[in-house]
Amino acid sequence: MPPEGLITLASRFEPKETMDRLSAAVAARGMAVLARIDHAAAAAAAGLDLRPTEVLIFGNPRAGTPLMQQAQTMGVDLPLRVLVWRDEAGRTWLSTNDPHWLARRHGATAGMDGVLAAMADGLAVVVREATGGGGA
């Protein structure tokens, strides 16, 4: 059973291409790419093996700030994060938190329907472009 609030989708592309496509889709929509973290490279530097596992951290203050104004603890989960990873069978996956679930987790839902819908819709678009398939 997947963890609550986690969206995981298969990608038609290899992990690096999926991540490159995600980063490009985010930037094309005017969102800021804040970090790209390569966990597999960090593991290799420590002498450990890890299948491709990379996180992109990105966001838009116009979407995230109202949520943090309502519940500052949202800052632990914002900006948004997307994980691209390869499983033991060689398949590529993309995982992210559902923005609606994050808001419920922090009690930041009152009056936030529009903000959350826009955030979820934007996330779905970039995920669909990254994976070459369905949306978040």
Side-chain angles (χ1 to χ4, degrees), residues 29-32 34 58-66 68 79-80 119:
R29 280 164 186 72
M31 292 180 271
L34 302 168
F58 63 94
N60 178 339
R62 294 191 187 281
T65 301
M68 287 186 276
L80 294 172
M119 187 180 282

Side-chain angles (χ1 to χ4, degrees), residues 45-136:
L48 302 167
D49 290 326
L50 182 64
R51 292 184 300 274
T53 306
E54 199 169 354
V55 175
L56 190 73
I57 300 175
F58 63 94
N60 178 339
R62 294 191 187 281
T65 301
L67 292 164
M68 287 186 276
Q69 286 172 330
Q70 192 166 113
Q72 277 188 289
T73 58
M74 283 288 300
V76 76
D77 289 313
L78 294 177
L80 294 172
R81 294 153 179 78
V82 175
L83 173 71
V84 174
W85 51 285
R86 179 181 288 147
D87 70 12
E88 60 280 348
R91 295 175 300 220
T92 301
W93 299 91
L94 182 149
S95 297
T96 190
N97 287 310
D98 175 2
H100 295 281
W101 179 82
L102 289 174
R104 286 190 305 275
R105 175 180 181 210
H106 294 277
T109 58
M112 293 291 131
D113 291 344
V115 169
L116 290 167
M119 187 180 282
D121 290 348
L123 184 58
V125 168
V126 297
V127 164
R128 186 170 39 255
E129 288 184 19
T131 62

